[in-house]
Amino acid sequence: MSRRSYDSFAHEKRLSKYRVSDDDLFDYVLRVALLSYMMLPKVAESPKVPAVIDAREREHSSRLSALSNFSIGDVFRDVRDGSKSVKFPERLLKVLEQKLQDIAMGKDAAYSDQLVRRTMAKFYGQFMVDSFKRQMKENRKIEELILMFATHATSVLRKEPTLAGDGWKLELNNQIAQFIKMLRECLRNVNHVSPELVSRLDTYTAKLAPTLALGQGYSHSDSGYDSSSTSNRESVSVPTISANVADMHMVKIVANLFKIPDQAIQKEVDALRGSVVSEKAAMTDLKTCLKNINAGAPFPGRREDFETEAAWHHWRHLETTHLQQLMVIMVQFNPELAKSTPSDILPSLQTSNMGRPGSLYSQVESPISATRHASVSSRRSLFAINGELNPQGYDDPPEGEDDLPVGHHFTFIPPNPKKFYKRLVEYCLVADLEVMMSPEVDDNDEVSLGILSHPHIELINECAVRWRIGHSYRAACFLDLVKQFYERNDVPMECIPEALQNVTKVAQETEVELWPVADVDYVANVHAGLFNLFLSSLYHAMDSLPNLKPSELQFFLSVLENVRDFGLLSRFDIDIEARIHDVRDRIRQVAVHWFEVAMQEKQAAPGVNRALPLLLMTDEMEKGAKGLDKRFPEPLLGKLDIVSLFVEVAVPRLMADLQQSQKRLFESSMNGPTPDVPIQDIFALYRRTKTLMGMYKAFVPEGTFDFNITAFFEPYVRQWLKNTDDKTKNWVDAAIAQDKFEAEGTEGHSSSIVDLFDSLRSPINFLQELEWEDEYQEGRFFTGLSKTISKAIEQYCRSVEAMFLTEMFPRPADFLQPQKSSAWLEKARQLAITGEKRVEPFNFRPESCVKLNNVEAARKLLDKMYTQMEADRIAEVLSAAPPVPEKQDRDRFLFSVKVVIAEGLVPLDSSPSSKLDTFVTLSDEAGNRLAKTRTIYESLGPRWDETFDLSVDKPLWVMVSVRDRSLVGKHDIVGRAYLCLDPRRFSDFLAHELWMDLDTHGRILVRVSMEGEKDDIQFFFGRAFRSLKRAEADMLRIFIDKMSPFIQQCLSRNVVKTLMKSRDPGMDYNKALGNVTALYRSALGSSASSEPQIPLPSTEKPRVRPEELTDVEIEQAILPLFDYFDANLQTLNTYLSDSAKEMVMTRVWKEILTVIEGLLIPPLSELASDMKPLSDKEVDIVFRWLKFLRDYFYANGEGPVPLEVLQNQKYRDVVSIRLYYDWHTDALMEECVRMMQQSLRSAPSMKKRAKSVYSQRNLGTIKERKKEKRQETEVTSEQTIMRILRMRPRTSEFIAQQMQIMAAMQAEQEQRAKEVEERKMKRQQNHLNNQIPAVPPLPPLPES
């Protein structure tokens, strides 16, 4: 402050209205402080005087009594002022309840006075009422708690006989002070007490202190009953008012604030007191304010200061009421002032039932109303008698006020009150900040975020009341100054929310629409500054993205949200969206900068490939985005979604870099067997990119960027598919190499099939985990993978079949078949015809059984794989997709070539009894082998029944070579034929049987069918299933081929003839019968008990064979066959799975039926047969064999083949032979003609297509086809009759004629069906003709 002479405080000069000097500020603040003291003076003791006091002293005593009344009113004059309301902690009620109970029961020594206990007990009774507790919990206003105590204390003290006259009033002040003291003690036991609440209680105590000091001369004795007013003391102390500055509390605050010495301030006070500062001058100021309001003067307010009429009337009512209350207070203090105050300015004072006019206690017991504008009602209730002021008190000019000029003519109110008030608050803030920063204040001491000390708050409030500063301006001014101090870094950021809270409290008490326009604009201006300031701070805080933490923005956001929610920014014409847009742009800029710096660091790291920086960058971006989303789940200010803005910028930048590096990345991943960029890194980059794109869609739903992830990564997937296809051969070889072909588990398969399918399943899982967005492309990927799987299955089948053939047809140098020296072998040799080549029975190895189990297990695993890949859904997706313009490849076609049988082969040597060990090879035009059948040993009419798939895209000549296997050296060529696989020839997709003559002797039958080879997932699965099915069928055929020679040898006509001729009287038939019936059960290990065998007595001779052969004798003839079955069934039962065992035994049974049929009748042919019919006894023997074998395989339901399979159509056909076997030749011919005509009429008119790959794409379709096949009824009776006729003389012509008729009628029906099919296939045929080149000429025969 500027230094000046403290003796010259005369302000007759006209003060500047726009400039506030420190001297002027000091002058007006000191006036207010001095007036405050004069309204509440310090009582000083004077010498004692006689007890009898005169009228003047009684009047003075009455004035002191009025002073006592004023002290309580002064304490609670703002009890209803919502802007000043401070709520106490809810826990205070519990602590206070216990405290009151202890005092009432006499447990608290500090409050042992009887009168105090009575008042406390009275209040405790009211305190325990539930409605009162509920009201206190809702309001939690300390003033209402004190007033309620004063109400009940009044009711007790007024009835106290020891307190004569007005003595009870002084005692009331004393007890209120003690109650406030008790509240202060209770708050010490409560946490989180507001410093402002403690300050409020201390202020009340300080204001009550002078009254208590004054009242000591009148207070009761320690007992509480001996009042001074009723005592017999001879003298009393006459109080006097002190003029010492040391007793002037608020003047001392002013002196400390302006740093004025005590002597200087004493001079200033002495100069001002009486001459300038007086109660009359204060009253004049109040009157002038009222007159200015009615006259429409600028100060303290007029209609132009408010936006609406309602706001003006609201302010006018409150302001007039408050001015009148102040005037009432002054009249209560100095009744002399009432003489110069018109009665219509002051409220009418009702004196009935009251000790003196204007007494506070007349209203204490009245209920306390709570309204929004409680500040006025509280003053009215405190200082008015009946709580009612004249509502028209401001409508008409007060009488007797004409001598007061209208305008700014005040003693205590400065020329520009708001500027002076703002300067005063600023002065106090500076002073308090200096104290806070001084060394006396420890860094760990808690300081108020409001900055202002309690004395300064008291001074500021006193000046605000005298200068007529509204609460709205007070809060706005304080907020403005705190903002300015914060901008200068003089106060911490935490002070801003505290100042904002003050504005909010005022707005809660009085709606902003009712504020003066200037105050609203002021708050809007300050809010705008705060918004710009903290939005700028928020703007710069974004520099730490993406590592930004909520704690760094907490204070910024709280201020911004407070300002935004207050709703005055639009009034100041601030474009919030524009400023928010600036912050958004900043976030984007920071995100771009962060991305560029991070990418440069990762690219600059040594020893990294081209994909690694991108991969690491995706990881950083994902981590940053997830961190931001976790830390900032909601948009800042409801508009700034940090994570969305970060992702919106960073993800497209990454995609752009990814797009730019596409070519280099692809080249680096394809440069050799060990590329610079492993394909694993590429797919890791795909997954991260897909994740980031998902985050982009989630956080930026409206955003778009040009990056096609499927098109970018599709070449890598196709390359991966190619690499996988190249690896499958190694997978198959490795799985087989590590397999010992030992049964594992109950299904009997070995490890290779499990290992192989685990390897094949891994790429399926890999593709599915990619979650490819384009369904069509995904379908193409799985189609390519299914082709790889099909190739792997075919390779596995070929490899296992080769090993199986090696085991089933061992070379003498490699493996010698172990033979058992047993009785059945010897008997088989004895039964063989002398001179005929003996058949050595073949015993099966466990490894062979395991290989068959592997194929069966592979079908089940492949079916699960079909389901896992959702092949049917993929096929639907691809079929429904629009045609994609791709490179037109030439159509491919899949031919199924079945090598069936050969006839008329001639041995290469001249021996007529020589046989051939033949196999067939298929070779292309260049001599490359395409397929090879198994070897059929010792036959001139071998039947192979093996099918091969050949894929062609143009007509292909195939050389069919029949060769004779040689153990040493080169295999000899028996004959050759040529087959042209022309798609146009087989475009009907039907099966064609082709008899081809060999270039030497004989002919060979092949069955050819074709289907279009499609790039289709179902096709490739069907191909894989067909490979497994054929491998299974080939293995089963070899099993049967190994058993068939011995079965034929045991069930031959030679055995029948031998049985009819030979006798063996020494044979024990009972023992033989027991051995035969127990064979199968012992082989299976059945626990069922066999029938006990009863041995013959030693004296009894063996049974003599009767004339007719018994069942025992007939069964004994084929006992070697049963023994052979028993020996091999043990191996098959142990190592084959249940289903494989049933398949093998079913095929064995079928072979037995074929052999039995061959015993009875010759095969169907036009040529005459040299086979003779069997006699009735011989036929009976054959059918008894059939019955024995059926019972053996059935074994009373315990056998491997169910009865319905044993008694199949073939079995019924064989049984029907006996029906026609002894018919007359003519009858047979007639029956043959009749049945053939019937068969042709019921035959289907259309030839069925060949079995398609699609019908075998999974186990479900395979089962459906088998079911349809079983439902087909085979009608073979006419063929059976013709085969019987072949053994009759002179029937060759009839048979040839019937066969020609049958062939002609069947050809005619097939031709009609073919014409219908050709019309349907015409369009496709035209396409084929355009795509398929011409048939090349027959290639020359290669040199043998």
Side-chain angles (χ1 to χ4, degrees):
M1 131 180 206
S2 62
R3 308 313 302 165
R4 66 171 186 168
S5 172
Y6 299 106
D7 295 326
S8 57
F9 270 93
H11 292 281
E12 291 82 3
K13 62 179 181 179
R14 184 175 182 83
L15 296 174
S16 172
K17 194 175 182 180
Y18 304 102
R19 176 177 168 274
V20 179
S21 65
D22 292 345
D23 294 341
D24 297 337
L25 179 65
F26 170 77
D27 184 16
Y28 279 98
V29 172
L30 182 60
R31 293 182 187 188
V32 173
L34 183 56
L35 177 64
S36 174
Y37 172 75
M38 293 177 68
M39 299 297 294
L40 185 62
K42 177 73 173 178
V43 179
E45 289 293 335
S46 61
K48 293 183 178 181
V49 296
V52 181
I53 54 178
D54 56 12
R56 182 184 58 81
E57 291 168 339
R58 285 197 300 270
E59 182 181 355
H60 184 70
S61 177
S62 177
R63 184 173 180 179
L64 289 179
S65 178
L67 176 63
S68 172
N69 296 334
F70 167 74
S71 63
I72 301 175
D74 186 53
V75 169
F76 302 115
R77 65 185 176 188
D78 294 327
V79 64
R80 297 292 178 177
D81 193 340
S83 63
K84 290 186 176 182
S85 176
V86 180
K87 292 186 178 182
F88 59 80
E90 189 173 343
R91 176 169 167 73
L92 175 64
L93 295 175
K94 292 185 179 181
V95 178
L96 182 59
E97 179 183 341
Q98 185 63 40
K99 187 75 171 178
L100 289 172
Q101 182 180 353
D102 293 343
I103 294 174
M105 297 176 66
K107 295 181 180 180
D108 195 328
Y111 300 89
S112 60
D113 185 84
Q114 294 299 320
L115 198 54
V116 172
R117 287 179 56 192
R118 284 172 57 192
T119 54
M120 294 292 183
K122 176 72 174 178
F123 178 67
Y124 177 69
Q126 174 66 22
F127 188 84
M128 297 305 294
V129 177
D130 291 338
S131 59
F132 177 76
K133 278 188 176 181
R134 189 161 50 250
Q135 179 184 355
M136 287 298 100
K137 284 183 179 179
E138 292 176 357
N139 296 335
R140 289 194 286 142
K141 293 184 178 180
I142 200 72
E143 291 84 4
E144 291 193 8
L145 198 61
I146 299 172
L147 284 176
M148 186 58 69
F149 172 78
T151 301
H152 290 81
T154 300
S155 64
V156 173
L157 296 177
R158 288 181 62 182
K159 298 176 183 179
E160 176 58 43
T162 60
L163 300 177
D166 293 335
W168 65 273
K169 299 177 182 178
L170 296 175
E171 179 62 26
L172 176 62
N173 284 3
N174 176 44
Q175 295 214 11
I176 292 175
Q178 293 194 54
F179 183 74
I180 295 174
K181 172 187 173 186
M182 183 186 66
L183 289 177
R184 188 69 176 86
E185 293 173 354
C186 291
L187 285 173
R188 294 193 184 99
N189 300 322
V190 179
N191 295 326
H192 307 293
V193 179
S194 170
E196 194 172 345
L197 176 60
V198 178
S199 173
R200 183 73 59 86
L201 291 178
D202 292 344
T203 302
Y204 295 160
T205 304
K207 288 188 176 185
L208 286 170
T211 304
L212 294 178
L214 175 65
Q216 286 176 359
Y218 301 90
S219 64
H220 53 76
S221 63
D222 292 340
S223 66
Y225 295 95
D226 297 330
S227 174
S228 60
S229 61
T230 60
S231 65
N232 296 322
R233 295 178 183 178
E234 296 180 355
S235 62
V236 296
S237 298
V238 178
T240 60
I241 297 176
S242 172
N244 189 355
V245 174
D247 296 328
M248 301 177 184
H249 173 67
M250 198 166 290
V251 173
K252 289 173 62 178
I253 295 174
V254 174
N256 293 332
L257 175 63
F258 289 90
K259 300 178 182 179
I260 307 298
D262 292 344
Q263 295 179 354
I265 199 69
Q266 185 67 55
K267 291 181 180 180
E268 295 287 348
V269 169
D270 293 342
L272 289 174
R273 187 176 182 183
S275 60
V276 177
V277 178
S278 65
E279 294 93 329
K280 184 176 180 180
M283 181 65 76
T284 302
D285 281 1
L286 296 177
K287 293 176 182 179
T288 304
C289 287
L290 281 174
K291 191 169 185 178
N292 285 352
I293 291 174
N294 292 323
F299 181 84
R302 55 185 174 178
R303 172 64 184 86
E304 290 81 356
D305 295 336
F306 297 90
E307 189 171 353
T308 63
E309 194 73 25
W312 157 244
H313 284 290
H314 176 269
W315 176 87
R316 183 180 180 185
H317 175 74
L318 291 182
E319 186 67 13
T320 305
T321 303
H322 197 193
L323 290 171
Q324 290 175 345
Q325 287 177 340
L326 292 177
M327 294 170 68
V328 169
I329 293 172
M330 298 188 69
V331 169
Q332 285 179 330
F333 169 73
N334 188 358
E336 294 293 332
L337 296 176
K339 297 178 181 179
S340 61
T341 304
S343 59
D344 57 353
I345 293 181
L346 294 175
S348 58
L349 303 177
Q350 182 178 349
T351 60
S352 60
N353 300 326
M354 294 294 139
R356 61 180 284 106
S359 174
L360 164 71
Y361 310 105
S362 62
Q363 190 64 18
V364 171
E365 297 187 57
S366 64
I368 300 174
S369 60
T371 61
R372 175 167 181 80
H373 308 295
S375 58
V376 176
S377 65
S378 65
R379 295 187 180 100
R380 286 156 56 187
S381 64
L382 282 169
F383 305 114
I385 301 305
N386 54 9
E388 291 294 334
L389 294 170
N390 181 11
Q392 284 78 29
Y394 55 84
D395 290 339
D396 299 320
E399 297 179 4
E401 294 300 314
D402 296 336
D403 56 335
L404 292 178
V406 175
H408 203 91
H409 308 287
F410 302 103
T411 301
F412 298 96
I413 303 175
N416 194 330
K418 290 184 178 181
K419 285 187 177 292
F420 273 77
Y421 177 83
K422 183 176 181 180
R423 178 59 180 153
L424 173 62
V425 175
E426 181 180 9
Y427 222 103
C428 293
L429 285 172
V430 172
D432 288 335
L433 285 174
E434 289 178 356
V435 174
M436 290 181 184
M437 300 302 294
S438 64
E440 288 77 7
V441 179
D442 190 84
D443 293 340
N444 297 324
D445 292 345
E446 292 186 4
V447 294
S448 173
L449 295 178
I451 305 173
L452 293 173
S453 61
H454 301 308
H456 288 167
I457 292 175
E458 186 177 359
L459 176 63
I460 291 172
N461 288 338
E462 192 68 27
C463 291
V465 171
R466 291 299 168 184
W467 296 348
R468 311 312 305 148
I469 305 296
H471 290 294
S472 55
Y473 183 83
R474 298 185 203 179
C477 176
F478 182 74
L479 178 62
D480 185 21
L481 291 172
V482 171
K483 178 181 79 73
Q484 295 177 19
F485 277 69
Y486 170 72
E487 290 176 333
R488 298 198 299 263
N489 293 324
D490 291 338
V491 297
M493 184 171 19
E494 290 80 1
C495 295
I496 299 293
E498 186 75 13
L500 282 169
Q501 190 63 28
N502 295 334
V503 179
T504 304
K505 286 181 180 179
V506 175
Q508 290 173 351
E509 292 297 331
T510 304
E511 297 176 359
V512 178
E513 290 78 8
L514 302 178
W515 290 9
V517 175
D519 291 355
V520 175
D521 291 341
Y522 189 18
V523 172
N525 187 16
V526 177
H527 276 184
L530 285 172
F531 191 82
N532 292 333
L533 176 64
F534 282 90
L535 201 61
S536 176
S537 300
L538 185 67
Y539 179 94
H540 293 289
M542 296 303 162
D543 293 347
S544 58
L545 281 173
N547 301 317
L548 187 64
K549 298 179 181 178
S551 59
E552 301 175 21
L553 307 180
Q554 180 178 358
F555 292 106
F556 304 153
L557 294 176
S558 64
V559 173
L560 291 171
E561 289 171 356
N562 189 304
V563 171
R564 178 201 62 191
D565 297 341
F566 204 87
L568 292 182
L569 290 178
S570 58
R571 190 182 186 95
F572 199 70
D573 196 22
I574 290 184
D575 191 350
I576 300 178
E577 278 301 325
R579 300 304 309 276
I580 294 293
H581 184 71
D582 293 341
V583 181
R584 289 196 188 101
D585 290 342
R586 182 58 181 172
I587 295 174
R588 294 187 181 99
Q589 294 171 7
V590 173
V592 170
H593 178 72
W594 172 84
F595 179 87
E596 292 175 349
V597 171
M599 180 62 79
Q600 290 175 1
E601 290 177 355
K602 289 171 174 52
Q603 290 176 343
V608 297
N609 57 46
R610 293 186 182 275
L612 193 56
L614 295 168
L615 191 59
L616 295 176
M617 197 64 205
T618 58
D619 189 30
E620 289 289 332
M621 290 171 59
E622 181 181 357
K623 188 186 302 182
K626 288 182 177 179
L628 288 174
D629 185 47
K630 183 178 180 181
R631 296 191 294 269
F632 302 98
E634 298 296 332
L636 306 183
L637 303 176
K639 297 177 180 294
L640 288 173
D641 194 342
I642 296 181
V643 62
S644 297
L645 295 170
F646 176 79
V647 171
E648 178 187 356
V649 173
V651 172
R653 292 289 301 223
L654 176 70
M655 302 309 163
D657 286 5
L658 198 59
Q659 195 72 48
Q660 292 176 1
S661 61
Q662 181 177 14
K663 182 178 180 180
R664 297 191 303 272
L665 199 62
F666 186 78
E667 292 173 352
S668 300
S669 63
M670 302 297 172
N671 55 355
T674 56
D676 295 340
V677 178
I679 199 154
Q680 292 83 0
D681 289 355
I682 297 295
F683 286 113
L685 182 61
Y686 164 80
R687 294 187 186 91
R688 297 285 179 80
T689 304
K690 184 177 177 63
T691 301
L692 290 179
M693 292 181 66
M695 294 176 65
Y696 186 89
K697 291 180 180 179
F699 291 120
V700 195
E702 304 297 331
T704 57
F705 59 90
D706 186 17
F707 181 76
N708 191 335
I709 186 173
T710 56
F712 185 91
F713 287 98
E714 181 187 11
Y716 300 100
V717 179
R718 296 197 178 279
Q719 181 62 34
W720 173 83
L721 287 171
K722 182 178 181 301
N723 297 342
T724 303
D725 186 71
D726 295 339
K727 294 176 184 177
T728 51
K729 183 178 184 304
N730 297 332
W731 291 349
V732 175
D733 294 340
I736 293 176
Q738 297 177 4
D739 194 0
K740 297 180 180 179
F741 291 96
E742 296 176 354
E744 296 181 356
T746 57
E747 297 183 357
H749 57 74
S750 61
S751 63
S752 61
I753 198 65
V754 177
D755 294 343
L756 175 61
F757 272 86
D758 285 345
S759 300
L760 294 176
R761 200 176 294 111
S762 62
I764 297 177
N765 296 335
F766 176 82
L767 272 183
Q768 290 177 337
E769 289 170 359
L770 289 180
E771 298 179 356
W772 202 260
E773 294 180 355
D774 191 321
E775 284 191 342
Y776 178 80
Q777 289 183 356
E778 185 185 38
R780 300 307 310 161
F781 296 156
F782 277 109
T783 300
L785 185 59
S786 65
K787 183 176 183 180
T788 297
I789 293 172
S790 177
K791 288 170 58 178
I793 297 298
E794 292 176 6
Q795 180 188 347
Y796 182 82
C797 291
R798 289 195 301 269
S799 302
V800 170
E801 278 192 90
M803 298 173 68
F804 183 81
L805 288 172
T806 303
E807 294 167 0
M808 303 301 282
F809 302 100
R811 292 179 178 269
D814 297 339
F815 176 75
L816 297 177
Q817 175 72 29
Q819 304 293 339
K820 295 182 179 179
S821 173
S822 55
W824 61 267
L825 184 56
E826 295 298 328
K827 292 179 181 178
R829 291 175 179 173
Q830 292 175 4
L831 290 175
I833 301 175
T834 305
E836 188 174 354
K837 185 174 181 181
R838 299 289 190 272
V839 175
E840 295 292 339
F842 185 86
N843 293 324
F844 297 100
R845 301 173 62 184
E847 301 93 307
S848 304
C849 299
V850 171
K851 291 179 176 62
L852 182 59
N853 294 339
N854 282 359
V855 175
E856 181 193 6
R859 295 177 67 187
K860 295 179 180 178
L861 293 172
L862 187 62
D863 188 67
K864 292 180 180 178
M865 190 174 288
Y866 184 92
T867 304
Q868 179 186 355
M869 291 178 65
E870 301 180 272
D872 293 334
R873 182 189 64 82
I874 291 175
E876 291 178 3
V877 169
L878 295 180
S879 63
V884 178
E886 295 181 352
K887 181 180 178 181
Q888 294 294 329
D889 295 331
R890 184 180 296 174
D891 291 337
R892 298 191 65 83
F893 303 91
L894 183 68
F895 281 89
S896 293
V897 180
K898 183 175 184 178
V899 181
V900 185
I901 192 173
E903 292 182 352
L905 301 183
V906 177
L908 297 180
D909 54 10
S910 57
S911 174
S913 61
S914 297
K915 299 292 180 70
L916 295 173
D917 300 334
T918 54
F919 65 92
V920 178
T921 60
L922 304 180
S923 305
D924 63 9
E925 300 160 354
N928 301 316
R929 178 183 292 182
L930 303 177
K932 173 181 173 296
T933 68
R934 70 186 190 283
T935 302
I936 303 299
Y937 294 90
E938 300 295 327
S939 175
L940 296 178
R943 174 178 287 273
W944 294 279
D945 283 333
E946 290 192 42
T947 305
F948 305 98
D949 289 340
L950 302 178
S951 179
V952 301
D953 58 357
K954 61 182 180 179
L956 175 68
W957 283 99
V958 176
M959 183 173 64
V960 182
S961 302
V962 181
R963 297 174 180 265
D964 182 30
R965 177 175 290 278
S966 176
L967 294 178
V968 179
K970 189 176 181 181
H971 306 305
D972 298 324
I973 297 177
V974 178
R976 293 171 175 161
Y978 285 89
L979 170 66
C980 183
L981 300 180
D982 184 2
R984 284 174 296 190
R985 179 182 177 187
F986 299 95
S987 60
D988 55 2
F989 300 104
L990 301 175
H992 298 259
E993 292 189 353
L994 304 176
W995 280 102
M996 298 187 299
D997 294 328
L998 300 178
D999 56 355
T1000 53
H1001 298 85
R1003 60 179 183 170
I1004 186 170
L1005 174 63
V1006 293
R1007 186 176 292 120
V1008 182
S1009 63
M1010 182 198 75
E1011 60 181 313
E1013 181 175 312
K1014 298 182 180 179
D1015 192 15
D1016 180 78
I1017 188 170
Q1018 292 179 334
F1019 178 85
F1020 292 123
F1021 266 101
R1023 194 167 177 175
F1025 271 107
R1026 188 154 71 177
S1027 299
L1028 291 171
K1029 181 61 180 175
R1030 287 176 179 172
E1032 181 183 73
D1034 291 343
M1035 291 183 180
L1036 286 174
R1037 189 182 302 112
I1038 293 173
F1039 267 104
I1040 303 308
D1041 289 347
K1042 284 299 181 180
M1043 301 173 74
S1044 180
F1046 192 74
I1047 294 174
Q1048 293 176 4
Q1049 180 173 280
C1050 294
L1051 300 176
S1052 63
R1053 288 197 169 200
N1054 292 333
V1055 177
V1056 174
K1057 300 296 183 183
T1058 303
L1059 183 61
M1060 293 293 296
K1061 294 179 180 178
S1062 63
R1063 295 290 185 272
D1064 188 1
M1067 182 178 295
D1068 187 348
Y1069 294 106
N1070 188 23
K1071 181 178 180 181
L1073 180 62
N1075 290 338
V1076 171
T1077 54
L1079 283 176
Y1080 185 70
R1081 291 185 180 181
S1082 63
L1084 292 180
S1086 174
S1087 61
S1089 60
S1090 303
E1091 296 182 1
Q1093 302 297 321
I1094 305 175
L1096 293 174
S1098 58
T1099 57
E1100 184 176 344
K1101 293 182 180 181
R1103 183 180 304 172
V1104 179
R1105 181 178 58 81
E1107 291 298 328
E1108 297 294 334
L1109 289 172
T1110 63
D1111 288 347
V1112 174
E1113 291 177 313
I1114 295 173
E1115 186 177 358
Q1116 188 70 26
I1118 59 172
L1119 191 59
L1121 182 60
F1122 288 115
D1123 290 342
Y1124 175 70
F1125 284 158
D1126 288 341
N1128 284 279
L1129 279 180
Q1130 185 68 34
T1131 301
L1132 299 179
N1133 184 62
T1134 303
Y1135 296 102
L1136 282 179
S1137 64
D1138 293 339
S1139 56
K1141 182 167 43 182
E1142 182 179 347
M1143 285 190 299
V1144 171
M1145 299 313 297
T1146 301
R1147 294 295 296 272
V1148 171
W1149 175 246
K1150 185 177 179 181
E1151 182 66 20
I1152 290 174
L1153 293 176
T1154 303
V1155 172
I1156 295 287
E1157 186 183 43
L1159 280 177
L1160 299 172
I1161 55 178
L1164 182 62
S1165 175
E1166 299 177 1
L1167 304 176
S1169 173
D1170 56 357
M1171 184 176 177
K1172 303 299 181 184
L1174 296 177
S1175 63
D1176 290 343
K1177 291 184 179 181
E1178 291 173 340
V1179 171
D1180 183 64
I1181 290 173
V1182 172
F1183 279 100
R1184 288 192 187 184
W1185 282 350
L1186 180 61
K1187 177 181 179 301
F1188 295 152
L1189 289 168
R1190 185 199 65 183
D1191 294 343
Y1192 176 85
F1193 279 93
Y1194 181 58
N1196 292 326
E1198 298 181 5
V1201 185
L1203 187 61
E1204 59 269 17
V1205 176
L1206 291 172
Q1207 296 180 350
N1208 57 13
Q1209 183 63 40
K1210 182 69 174 179
Y1211 175 83
R1212 293 191 292 271
D1213 291 342
V1214 172
V1215 172
S1216 68
I1217 293 176
R1218 189 164 192 173
L1219 176 65
Y1220 302 109
Y1221 206 77
D1222 55 352
W1223 278 26
H1224 191 272
T1225 301
D1226 294 339
L1228 285 173
M1229 289 181 179
E1230 292 176 1
E1231 182 68 14
C1232 180
V1233 172
R1234 185 186 66 80
M1235 296 188 67
M1236 184 172 293
Q1237 291 175 352
Q1238 181 180 353
S1239 299
L1240 290 175
R1241 284 195 299 269
S1242 61
S1245 61
M1246 184 177 293
K1247 186 177 180 182
K1248 290 189 175 182
R1249 287 193 179 189
K1251 186 164 55 177
S1252 170
V1253 168
Y1254 286 93
S1255 64
Q1256 306 177 61
R1257 62 182 182 271
N1258 57 27
L1259 291 182
T1261 56
I1262 293 174
K1263 290 179 181 179
E1264 290 177 2
R1265 181 172 176 82
K1266 285 185 177 180
K1267 183 178 179 180
E1268 294 174 359
K1269 189 174 181 180
R1270 283 196 300 269
Q1271 292 175 352
E1272 296 176 1
T1273 304
E1274 297 181 8
V1275 183
T1276 59
S1277 297
E1278 68 278 9
Q1279 296 183 10
T1280 301
I1281 293 174
M1282 284 192 290
R1283 293 174 68 179
I1284 294 175
L1285 287 174
R1286 281 197 67 195
M1287 298 186 293
R1288 306 290 177 90
R1290 297 179 299 278
T1291 58
S1292 300
E1293 294 182 0
F1294 174 79
I1295 295 173
Q1297 182 182 8
Q1298 293 299 316
M1299 293 183 68
Q1300 290 175 2
I1301 294 173
M1302 182 173 61
M1305 294 181 66
Q1306 186 174 357
E1308 183 179 354
Q1309 291 177 347
E1310 291 180 0
Q1311 181 62 30
R1312 288 198 299 267
K1314 187 174 182 180
E1315 290 175 359
V1316 174
E1317 188 71 19
E1318 286 177 351
R1319 284 195 296 270
K1320 294 180 180 180
M1321 304 283 298
K1322 185 176 182 181
R1323 184 176 301 174
Q1324 183 174 357
Q1325 181 68 30
N1326 293 335
H1327 174 70
L1328 291 174
N1329 291 335
N1330 295 332
Q1331 294 291 327
I1332 303 171
V1335 179
L1338 179 67
L1341 290 175
E1343 297 181 1
S1344 56

